[in-house]
Tab-separated table of all heavy atoms in Angstrom:
chain	number	residue	atom	x	y	z
A	1	LEU	N	-5.712	17.283	-12.189
A	1	LEU	CA	-5.643	16.127	-11.327
A	1	LEU	C	-6.358	14.988	-12.002
A	1	LEU	O	-7.513	15.145	-12.436
A	1	LEU	CB	-6.253	16.423	-9.945
A	1	LEU	CG	-5.671	17.560	-9.186
A	1	LEU	CD1	-6.534	18.820	-9.316
A	1	LEU	CD2	-5.570	17.211	-7.698
A	2	THR	N	-5.734	13.840	-12.085
A	2	THR	CA	-6.353	12.623	-12.637
A	2	THR	C	-6.460	11.570	-11.556
A	2	THR	O	-5.702	11.511	-10.629
A	2	THR	CB	-5.506	12.052	-13.837
A	2	THR	OG1	-4.327	11.457	-13.309
A	2	THR	CG2	-5.141	13.131	-14.847
A	3	THR	N	-7.527	10.732	-11.778
A	3	THR	CA	-7.661	9.538	-10.888
A	3	THR	C	-7.921	8.348	-11.788
A	3	THR	O	-8.603	8.469	-12.801
A	3	THR	CB	-8.830	9.662	-9.919
A	3	THR	OG1	-10.066	9.723	-10.608
A	3	THR	CG2	-8.668	10.942	-9.044
A	4	GLY	N	-7.368	7.200	-11.381
A	4	GLY	CA	-7.676	5.953	-12.093
A	4	GLY	C	-6.582	5.581	-13.141
A	4	GLY	O	-5.722	6.314	-13.468
A	5	GLY	N	-6.750	4.334	-13.558
A	5	GLY	CA	-5.881	3.821	-14.617
A	5	GLY	C	-4.486	3.437	-14.182
A	5	GLY	O	-3.590	3.305	-15.016
A	6	LEU	N	-4.270	3.238	-12.861
A	6	LEU	CA	-2.938	2.906	-12.321
A	6	LEU	C	-2.836	1.555	-11.738
A	6	LEU	O	-1.867	1.266	-11.004
A	6	LEU	CB	-2.562	3.996	-11.303
A	6	LEU	CG	-2.576	5.430	-11.771
A	6	LEU	CD1	-2.252	6.355	-10.576
A	6	LEU	CD2	-1.510	5.633	-12.844
A	7	GLY	N	-3.755	0.697	-12.047
A	7	GLY	CA	-3.756	-0.683	-11.479
A	7	GLY	C	-2.782	-1.633	-12.119
A	7	GLY	O	-2.016	-1.230	-13.054
A	8	PRO	N	-2.747	-2.903	-11.715
A	8	PRO	CA	-1.809	-3.850	-12.253
A	8	PRO	C	-2.261	-4.530	-13.535
A	8	PRO	O	-1.517	-5.302	-14.106
A	8	PRO	CB	-1.703	-4.892	-11.121
A	8	PRO	CG	-3.057	-4.828	-10.436
A	8	PRO	CD	-3.571	-3.424	-10.579
A	9	THR	N	-3.493	-4.280	-13.953
A	9	THR	CA	-3.963	-4.997	-15.131
A	9	THR	C	-3.605	-4.285	-16.461
A	9	THR	O	-3.186	-3.130	-16.439
A	9	THR	CB	-5.536	-5.162	-15.076
A	9	THR	OG1	-6.103	-3.839	-14.917
A	9	THR	CG2	-5.877	-6.042	-13.852
A	10	LYS	N	-3.742	-5.020	-17.589
A	10	LYS	CA	-3.267	-4.529	-18.837
A	10	LYS	C	-4.089	-3.314	-19.382
A	10	LYS	O	-3.546	-2.556	-20.198
A	10	LYS	CB	-3.354	-5.639	-19.876
A	10	LYS	CG	-2.321	-6.719	-19.688
A	10	LYS	CD	-2.309	-7.771	-20.733
A	10	LYS	CE	-1.253	-8.857	-20.516
A	10	LYS	NZ	-1.227	-9.864	-21.628
A	11	ASP	N	-5.314	-3.135	-18.886
A	11	ASP	CA	-6.122	-1.998	-19.332
A	11	ASP	C	-5.774	-0.716	-18.607
A	11	ASP	O	-6.301	0.381	-18.928
A	11	ASP	CB	-7.614	-2.265	-19.223
A	11	ASP	CG	-8.107	-2.472	-17.781
A	11	ASP	OD1	-7.222	-2.799	-16.928
A	11	ASP	OD2	-9.252	-2.221	-17.537
A	12	ASP	N	-4.881	-0.805	-17.604
A	12	ASP	CA	-4.453	0.426	-16.822
A	12	ASP	C	-3.243	0.966	-17.560
A	12	ASP	O	-2.039	0.600	-17.279
A	12	ASP	CB	-4.135	0.021	-15.422
A	12	ASP	CG	-5.405	-0.323	-14.655
A	12	ASP	OD1	-6.358	0.458	-14.679
A	12	ASP	OD2	-5.424	-1.371	-14.012
A	13	ILE	N	-3.529	1.914	-18.463
A	13	ILE	CA	-2.415	2.394	-19.393
A	13	ILE	C	-2.069	3.883	-19.056
A	13	ILE	O	-1.349	4.469	-19.872
A	13	ILE	CB	-2.854	2.233	-20.806
A	13	ILE	CG1	-4.168	2.958	-21.065
A	13	ILE	CG2	-3.001	0.774	-21.213
A	13	ILE	CD1	-4.625	2.991	-22.516
A	14	THR	N	-2.582	4.402	-17.988
A	14	THR	CA	-2.436	5.805	-17.715
A	14	THR	C	-0.955	6.165	-17.530
A	14	THR	O	-0.424	7.168	-18.054
A	14	THR	CB	-3.161	6.221	-16.431
A	14	THR	OG1	-4.584	5.941	-16.626
A	14	THR	CG2	-2.913	7.669	-16.077
A	15	LYS	N	-0.249	5.343	-16.817
A	15	LYS	CA	1.189	5.637	-16.543
A	15	LYS	C	2.040	5.712	-17.837
A	15	LYS	O	2.863	6.628	-17.998
A	15	LYS	CB	1.803	4.567	-15.620
A	15	LYS	CG	3.207	4.892	-15.050
A	15	LYS	CD	3.760	3.814	-14.237
A	15	LYS	CE	2.901	3.529	-13.079
A	15	LYS	NZ	3.481	2.411	-12.218
A	16	GLU	N	1.761	4.807	-18.733
A	16	GLU	CA	2.447	4.810	-20.017
A	16	GLU	C	2.102	6.128	-20.831
A	16	GLU	O	2.966	6.795	-21.394
A	16	GLU	CB	2.035	3.609	-20.819
A	16	GLU	CG	2.732	3.478	-22.187
A	16	GLU	CD	2.291	2.312	-22.978
A	16	GLU	OE1	1.641	1.355	-22.364
A	16	GLU	OE2	2.524	2.249	-24.212
A	17	ALA	N	0.837	6.510	-20.727
A	17	ALA	CA	0.434	7.731	-21.465
A	17	ALA	C	1.048	8.932	-20.844
A	17	ALA	O	1.501	9.871	-21.559
A	17	ALA	CB	-1.098	7.855	-21.412
A	18	LEU	N	1.148	9.004	-19.508
A	18	LEU	CA	1.726	10.143	-18.796
A	18	LEU	C	3.239	10.268	-19.080
A	18	LEU	O	3.793	11.364	-19.233
A	18	LEU	CB	1.503	10.011	-17.305
A	18	LEU	CG	0.082	10.090	-16.817
A	18	LEU	CD1	-0.024	9.902	-15.319
A	18	LEU	CD2	-0.552	11.482	-17.175
A	19	ALA	N	3.888	9.096	-19.178
A	19	ALA	CA	5.316	9.082	-19.538
A	19	ALA	C	5.538	9.788	-20.915
A	19	ALA	O	6.439	10.524	-21.104
A	19	ALA	CB	5.887	7.709	-19.486
A	20	LYS	N	4.640	9.334	-21.825
A	20	LYS	CA	4.803	9.864	-23.179
A	20	LYS	C	4.439	11.391	-23.238
A	20	LYS	O	5.112	12.194	-23.876
A	20	LYS	CB	3.844	9.090	-24.148
A	20	LYS	CG	3.993	9.418	-25.605
A	20	LYS	CD	3.114	8.491	-26.435
A	20	LYS	CE	3.278	8.754	-27.946
A	20	LYS	NZ	2.495	7.791	-28.750
A	21	LEU	N	3.406	11.749	-22.521
A	21	LEU	CA	2.897	13.145	-22.525
A	21	LEU	C	3.972	14.110	-21.936
A	21	LEU	O	4.128	15.193	-22.370
A	21	LEU	CB	1.630	13.220	-21.683
A	21	LEU	CG	0.972	14.625	-21.542
A	21	LEU	CD1	0.435	15.051	-22.863
A	21	LEU	CD2	-0.127	14.573	-20.469
A	22	THR	N	4.737	13.588	-20.931
A	22	THR	CA	5.672	14.445	-20.233
A	22	THR	C	7.106	14.247	-20.710
A	22	THR	O	8.065	14.636	-19.972
A	22	THR	CB	5.586	14.218	-18.698
A	22	THR	OG1	5.865	12.795	-18.411
A	22	THR	CG2	4.210	14.546	-18.183
A	23	SER	N	7.256	13.566	-21.815
A	23	SER	CA	8.579	13.346	-22.430
A	23	SER	C	9.573	12.644	-21.506
A	23	SER	O	10.721	12.981	-21.389
A	23	SER	CB	9.212	14.696	-22.871
A	23	SER	OG	8.392	15.346	-23.824
A	24	SER	N	9.043	11.651	-20.812
A	24	SER	CA	9.926	10.850	-19.944
A	24	SER	C	10.883	10.029	-20.771
A	24	SER	O	10.569	9.557	-21.839
A	24	SER	CB	9.046	9.845	-19.130
A	24	SER	OG	9.839	8.966	-18.396
A	25	LYS	N	12.084	9.845	-20.208
A	25	LYS	CA	13.123	9.083	-20.891
A	25	LYS	C	13.206	7.657	-20.454
A	25	LYS	O	13.934	6.840	-20.985
A	25	LYS	CB	14.416	9.741	-20.781
A	25	LYS	CG	14.564	11.142	-21.442
A	25	LYS	CD	15.941	11.743	-21.220
A	25	LYS	CE	16.035	13.033	-21.962
A	25	LYS	NZ	15.071	14.081	-21.523
A	26	GLY	N	12.443	7.287	-19.372
A	26	GLY	CA	12.475	5.980	-18.867
A	26	GLY	C	11.705	5.836	-17.526
A	26	GLY	O	11.201	6.837	-17.033
A	27	MET	N	11.689	4.629	-16.968
A	27	MET	CA	11.032	4.381	-15.714
A	27	MET	C	12.078	4.016	-14.654
A	27	MET	O	13.119	3.459	-14.971
A	27	MET	CB	10.068	3.251	-15.895
A	27	MET	CG	8.954	3.509	-16.906
A	27	MET	SD	7.570	4.423	-16.102
A	27	MET	CE	6.370	4.317	-17.401
A	28	TYR	N	11.719	4.239	-13.395
A	28	TYR	CA	12.596	3.730	-12.297
A	28	TYR	C	11.686	3.252	-11.133
A	28	TYR	O	10.524	3.597	-11.048
A	28	TYR	CB	13.489	4.866	-11.817
A	28	TYR	CG	12.805	6.021	-11.006
A	28	TYR	CD1	12.815	5.920	-9.650
A	28	TYR	CD2	12.160	7.063	-11.643
A	28	TYR	CE1	12.160	6.940	-8.844
A	28	TYR	CE2	11.537	8.034	-10.907
A	28	TYR	CZ	11.532	8.000	-9.549
A	28	TYR	OH	10.925	8.948	-8.783
A	29	LEU	N	12.220	2.348	-10.327
A	29	LEU	CA	11.513	1.783	-9.236
A	29	LEU	C	11.590	2.707	-8.061
A	29	LEU	O	12.633	3.070	-7.563
A	29	LEU	CB	12.109	0.413	-8.853
A	29	LEU	CG	11.485	-0.238	-7.639
A	29	LEU	CD1	10.017	-0.772	-7.982
A	29	LEU	CD2	12.311	-1.422	-7.160
A	30	HIS	N	10.406	3.131	-7.591
A	30	HIS	CA	10.379	4.047	-6.445
A	30	HIS	C	10.371	3.173	-5.138
A	30	HIS	O	9.404	2.456	-4.878
A	30	HIS	CB	9.146	4.967	-6.400
A	30	HIS	CG	9.235	6.042	-5.398
A	30	HIS	ND1	8.833	5.871	-4.077
A	30	HIS	CD2	9.737	7.284	-5.485
A	30	HIS	CE1	9.064	6.961	-3.416
A	30	HIS	NE2	9.605	7.865	-4.234
A	31	GLU	N	11.490	3.200	-4.445
A	31	GLU	CA	11.650	2.237	-3.312
A	31	GLU	C	10.639	2.482	-2.193
A	31	GLU	O	10.145	1.539	-1.568
A	31	GLU	CB	13.068	2.408	-2.734
A	31	GLU	CG	14.186	2.021	-3.696
A	31	GLU	CD	14.196	0.516	-3.981
A	31	GLU	OE1	13.573	-0.227	-3.227
A	31	GLU	OE2	14.947	0.169	-4.895
A	32	GLY	N	10.280	3.717	-1.951
A	32	GLY	CA	9.311	4.009	-0.873
A	32	GLY	C	7.937	3.375	-1.198
A	32	GLY	O	7.351	2.720	-0.327
A	33	GLN	N	7.468	3.521	-2.386
A	33	GLN	CA	6.187	2.902	-2.774
A	33	GLN	C	6.268	1.367	-2.835
A	33	GLN	O	5.369	0.676	-2.439
A	33	GLN	CB	5.694	3.452	-4.132
A	33	GLN	CG	4.217	3.002	-4.455
A	33	GLN	CD	3.299	3.613	-3.431
A	33	GLN	OE1	3.194	4.860	-3.275
A	33	GLN	NE2	2.521	2.794	-2.739
A	34	PHE	N	7.476	0.852	-3.260
A	34	PHE	CA	7.611	-0.599	-3.310
A	34	PHE	C	7.591	-1.184	-1.849
A	34	PHE	O	7.049	-2.224	-1.686
A	34	PHE	CB	8.994	-0.935	-3.958
A	34	PHE	CG	9.218	-2.375	-4.131
A	34	PHE	CD1	8.473	-3.194	-5.009
A	34	PHE	CD2	10.155	-3.028	-3.354
A	34	PHE	CE1	8.675	-4.498	-5.095
A	34	PHE	CE2	10.427	-4.397	-3.423
A	34	PHE	CZ	9.639	-5.146	-4.351
A	35	ASP	N	8.178	-0.456	-0.901
A	35	ASP	CA	8.145	-0.960	0.464
A	35	ASP	C	6.691	-1.037	1.010
A	35	ASP	O	6.332	-1.971	1.643
A	35	ASP	CB	8.985	-0.114	1.364
A	35	ASP	CG	10.488	-0.246	1.052
A	35	ASP	OD1	10.828	-1.224	0.439
A	35	ASP	OD2	11.274	0.627	1.531
A	36	VAL	N	5.923	0.011	0.704
A	36	VAL	CA	4.500	0.048	1.152
A	36	VAL	C	3.746	-1.130	0.473
A	36	VAL	O	2.964	-1.822	1.108
A	36	VAL	CB	3.881	1.384	0.849
A	36	VAL	CG1	2.342	1.368	1.107
A	36	VAL	CG2	4.487	2.536	1.632
A	37	MET	N	3.976	-1.259	-0.842
A	37	MET	CA	3.281	-2.344	-1.595
A	37	MET	C	3.642	-3.680	-1.002
A	37	MET	O	2.728	-4.503	-0.816
A	37	MET	CB	3.729	-2.227	-3.062
A	37	MET	CG	3.210	-3.440	-3.854
A	37	MET	SD	4.083	-3.506	-5.441
A	37	MET	CE	3.685	-1.971	-6.186
A	38	SER	N	4.886	-3.966	-0.733
A	38	SER	CA	5.286	-5.223	-0.202
A	38	SER	C	4.601	-5.510	1.159
A	38	SER	O	4.149	-6.574	1.391
A	38	SER	CB	6.812	-5.250	-0.079
A	38	SER	OG	7.444	-5.059	-1.291
A	39	ARG	N	4.606	-4.458	1.996
A	39	ARG	CA	3.990	-4.629	3.274
A	39	ARG	C	2.485	-4.971	3.177
A	39	ARG	O	2.015	-5.854	3.919
A	39	ARG	CB	4.173	-3.355	4.119
A	39	ARG	CG	3.670	-3.482	5.576
A	39	ARG	CD	3.766	-2.144	6.325
A	39	ARG	NE	2.800	-1.224	5.894
A	39	ARG	CZ	3.091	-0.048	5.316
A	39	ARG	NH1	4.339	0.312	5.126
A	39	ARG	NH2	2.098	0.782	4.980
């Protein structure tokens, strides 16, 4: 379990690292989280 590094600033690089670590082929917009964020 990891915490941190998921903010909007340039030093938050965790997501990019996790994509590489897990052999992700790309990113997609998660509508459920986007709706919460917008609200």
Side-chain angles (χ1 to χ4, degrees):
L1 301 100
T2 72
T3 66
L6 300 176
T9 56
K10 290 183 178 180
D11 64 336
D12 290 308
I13 56 175
T14 299
K15 191 184 299 182
E16 183 182 342
L18 292 177
K20 187 173 182 179
L21 180 68
T22 59
S23 301
S24 170
K25 295 179 175 60
M27 297 278 189
Y28 73 97
L29 178 69
H30 191 274
E31 295 291 347
Q33 191 63 58
F34 182 71
D35 290 344
V36 171
M37 174 195 300
S38 300
R39 186 184 73 243

